[in-house]
Amino acid sequence: MLVFPVSPDGDVLRVHCRPVPLADGTAAAIVFVDGEVDAETTPVLQEALLNAVDGYPTVYCDLNRVVFFGAAGANSVAAAGRRAATVGHRLELCGAHGLTRQVLAIAGLDRLLTVSE
């Protein structure tokens, strides 16, 4: 698990990746995100997503426990989505709700990636 408690106002972001076997014999990864995704904490999210899309053909990013999601988070997700497409893999976002869902929509990521609640 990666933990990023560095921001001056005490924001904490916890991110961990878990492989999940699929029925077809391959594996996917679930990247669990918990906390605030802002300019201070985004590097840990981006690192986790890029590592996951490099290593797994399908990556699910669970945003259910995100309490704040800013534009920097959208940029990290976009970068990971581009990397996934470049290597022929897939990134899907799940658990997106409230502000997180709104930021993803404003950034147009809901048209580029599968986004679900």
Side-chain angles (χ1 to χ4, degrees), residues 1 3 11 20 22 30 35 41 54 61 74 77 80 114:
M1 176 188 313
V3 179
D11 295 349
V20 178
L22 300 177
I30 303 174
T41 61
D54 283 343
C61 181
V77 168
T114 299

Side-chain angles (χ1 to χ4, degrees), residues 3 8 13 17 26 33-34 37 41 43 48 52 61 63 65-66 73 75 77 85 87 89 94 100 105 111:
V3 179
L13 180 67
C17 181
T26 63
V33 185
D34 181 357
V37 181
T41 61
C61 181
L63 300 170
R65 297 183 59 116
V66 170
N75 287 333
V77 168
V87 298
H89 293 176
C94 55
T100 302
R111 293 185 303 273

Side-chain angles (χ1 to χ4, degrees), residues 1-3 12-20 28-37 44-46 48-49 52 59-66 91-95:
M1 176 188 313
L2 300 170
V3 179
V12 175
L13 180 67
R14 292 175 188 84
V15 178
H16 71 278
C17 181
R18 185 177 73 194
V20 178
I30 303 174
V31 176
F32 295 94
V33 185
D34 181 357
E36 298 188 17
V37 181
V44 74
L45 173 62
Q46 186 164 343
L49 288 175
V59 174
Y60 302 99
C61 181
D62 184 345
L63 300 170
N64 190 51
R65 297 183 59 116
V66 170
L91 173 63
E92 294 188 20
L93 308 176
C94 55

